[in-house]
Amino acid sequence: MPHPASRYLAEGPHVGIRHFTHADSAEFTARARQSKELHHPWLFPPDSSSAYSAYAQRLIEDPARAGFLVCEKDDGSVAGFININNIVHGAFQCGVLGYGAFAHAAGRGLMREGLGLVVRHAFGPMRLHRLEINVQPANAASIALARGCGFRLEGFSPDMLFIDGAWRDHERWALTREMRGPH
C-alpha cells in the first residue's frame, strides 16, 4: 500500500513543519491570544484575523521571508512558529530567524525539534549558508533554544530593534552550515 504524501516539509518524532496558510488564521490567532502572557514583552504575534491575514500574506508572497508552523504530529495542532526573515541570496546566503512557542506547547521540547527541522530545511532545500537569531538578553527561554540548537553567541547590539515601545538591546546568535555538520 503506498504511503500518502506528508503534509509536512520535514518531520521529527513529535512535530512537523509546514508553511503558513490563510486557513490557519483561527487557530493561530486563538493561540496567540492565549499566549500573550508568555510572549510579553518579547514578541507580539497577530491575534486578530485581519492582522493574521496581513502577516501570513507577507510570509507567503515575499521571497525574502519564509514562515513555518511547528505542528504536533499526533493531532496537527500548531505548537509555535518559526520565520526566516531578511533572506538574502547571492554571496550572503543568509536569513534571520524569529520564533515563538504557544503557551500550551511551551517547555515540551517541541520548538527545539521544530527549530532543528527548520535549520535543516534552510541549509538543505533553501540553500542558505548562515542563519542568525537576535534575542533580548533577558529572554532566557529564547537564548536556551538558540544555544540548544547549536547557535553561537557572536555579539551584542545595543538599541537594535524597536519592540513594545522602546529600542531594545539584543544578543546576536548565528549558525552556519559548516557548524551544523552533516545532517
Side-chain angles (χ1 to χ4, degrees):
M1 174 186 235
H3 293 282
S6 174
R7 62 181 167 171
Y8 298 116
L9 297 165
E11 295 181 50
H14 306 288
V15 301
I17 58 168
R18 63 178 177 81
H19 289 296
F20 279 72
T21 70
H22 290 288
D24 295 307
S25 178
E27 180 182 6
F28 189 98
T29 57
R31 296 213 185 273
R33 288 189 301 272
Q34 295 161 358
S35 303
K36 278 188 184 284
E37 188 174 314
L38 173 68
H39 292 158
H40 187 81
W42 318 118
L43 70 152
F44 302 87
D47 62 359
S48 70
S49 60
S50 61
Y52 177 86
S53 179
Y55 178 76
Q57 194 71 27
R58 287 189 304 271
L59 291 169
I60 293 166
E61 291 185 359
D62 185 346
R65 299 173 193 248
F68 303 92
L69 294 174
V70 177
C71 301
E72 295 186 62
K73 282 176 52 179
D74 61 353
D75 64 4
S77 66
V78 177
F81 57 96
I82 302 168
N83 300 330
I84 306 176
N85 299 299
N86 304 328
I87 297 170
V88 179
H89 293 286
F92 202 41
Q93 297 294 338
C94 184
V96 180
L97 293 170
Y99 49 76
F102 290 125
H104 77 284
R108 295 174 41 207
L110 303 176
M111 288 301 292
R112 182 172 179 168
E113 185 177 320
L115 182 55
L117 294 171
V118 169
V119 166
R120 187 171 62 197
H121 187 75
F123 290 159
M126 292 181 71
R127 302 177 56 106
L128 296 178
H129 173 260
R130 177 183 174 86
L131 293 170
E132 299 176 359
I133 299 172
N134 298 301
V135 183
Q136 292 178 57
N139 189 342
S142 188
I143 289 171
L145 180 57
R147 183 180 287 121
C149 287
F151 286 75
R152 70 176 172 222
L153 179 62
E154 289 193 336
F156 179 81
S157 296
D159 299 331
M160 182 176 185
L161 293 172
F162 193 78
I163 298 173
D164 197 26
W167 288 99
R168 308 289 178 181
D169 299 343
H170 281 72
E171 292 181 359
R172 295 186 325 274
W173 293 76
L175 181 68
T176 65
R177 185 181 304 168
E178 291 79 11
M179 290 168 56
R180 179 85 170 165
H183 282 85

